[in-house]
Amino acid sequence: ETGVTQTPRHLVMGMTNKKSLKCEQHLGHNAMYWYKQSAKKPLELMFVYSLEERVENNSVPSRFSPECPNSSHLFLHLHTLQPEDSALYLCASSQDPTGNYGYTFGSGTRLTVV
Amino acid sequence: TQLLEQSPQFLSIQEGENLTVYCNSSSVFSSLQWYRQEPGEGPVLLVTVVTGGEVKKLKRLTFQFGDARKDSSLHITAAQPGDTGLYLCAGEDNYGQNFVFGPGTRLSVLP
């Protein structure tokens, strides 16, 4: 399978639940990202991993916890979320962390917090 | 943090019409990228422009990078319903420190 695959595509969770989003890439890319896309807002960078090490964390609340066990897999662990966290969460990969070669995005996970 | 502005925010046109959308900043960018995002999917990279004044064509789409590398435009000729989507520009600043996305132009092409 090629490209960037995200699961699940849709997720509804209560504020007390714990869930995880999964991202997988088979492009041989060295950098992976989590972005949040809300209505009427630009894409917000959440986390950047380069060669499995976190290189950027844009002041994201601790209720979001990323994990990158290897260069092909990226997780976003969620716990005690708020309704305002409802959004499309996009995973992306690129050849290097500069983004100069462009990003390959997954289809996203549409998260609804109730 | 540098900001990218895009205009118009929304655009609804009839099939066969031409259109241009814009991406602007007060800062210089080393490169700019254009993406199209269809409903329910992630953004897909269309093109990267690097050199000031550069023009790239992708079938009916023409991309231009401003001479000063602060702005870019996307022109679509004879738009089709399949062109419908959110068009995002994105770029890295001249210092290689920030990569940002614009808010996008939402295009709707009616048959």
Side-chain angles (χ1 to χ4, degrees), chain B residues 44-58:
Chain B
V44 175
L45 179 65
L46 297 174
V47 77
T48 301
V49 287
V50 178
T51 306
E54 181 177 5
V55 176
K56 282 192 173 179
K57 291 193 175 185
L58 185 65

Side-chain angles (χ1 to χ4, degrees), chain A residues 21-67:
Chain A
L21 310 185
K22 180 181 176 182
C23 177
E24 191 172 347
Q25 62 98 1
H26 297 285
L27 300 167
H29 287 170
N30 293 319
M32 295 186 77
Y33 311 79
W34 282 115
Y35 275 89
K36 177 182 178 182
Q37 188 174 36
S38 307
K40 301 181 181 179
K41 280 188 175 182
L43 279 168
E44 299 172 65
L45 178 64
M46 300 176 72
F47 301 103
V48 181
Y49 276 83
S50 176
L51 296 173
E52 304 154 42
E53 289 193 17
R54 189 191 304 181
V55 296
E56 190 164 343
N57 173 359
N58 280 5
S59 303
V60 178
S62 59
R63 57 186 184 269
F64 295 91
S65 175
E67 179 189 0

Side-chain angles (χ1 to χ4, degrees), chain A residues 61-105:
Chain A
S62 59
R63 57 186 184 269
F64 295 91
S65 175
E67 179 189 0
C68 188
N70 55 60
S71 59
S72 299
H73 294 85
L74 186 64
F75 295 89
L76 187 62
H77 303 299
L78 317 171
H79 64 97
T80 58
L81 295 192
Q82 304 298 311
E84 59 264 29
D85 296 322
S86 298
L88 181 68
Y89 287 85
L90 290 162
C91 173
S93 69
S94 66
Q95 289 188 20
D96 65 39
T98 68
N100 280 338
Y101 296 99
Y103 291 167
T104 301
F105 283 89

Side-chain angles (χ1 to χ4, degrees), chain B residues 26-42:
Chain B
S26 58
S27 303
V28 176
F29 282 81
S30 60
S31 65
L32 271 177
Q33 300 167 6
W34 284 93
Y35 293 79
R36 178 171 64 219
Q37 184 177 17
E38 298 182 10
E41 298 295 329

Side-chain angles (χ1 to χ4, degrees), chain A residues 37 41, chain B residues 6 9 35-39 43-44 83-88 102-107:
Chain A
Q37 188 174 36
K41 280 188 175 182
Chain B
Q6 291 191 243
Q9 188 177 356
Y35 293 79
R36 178 171 64 219
Q37 184 177 17
E38 298 182 10
V44 175
D83 296 326
T84 293
L86 179 67
Y87 287 82
L88 298 161
T105 292
R106 193 166 295 279
L107 172 66

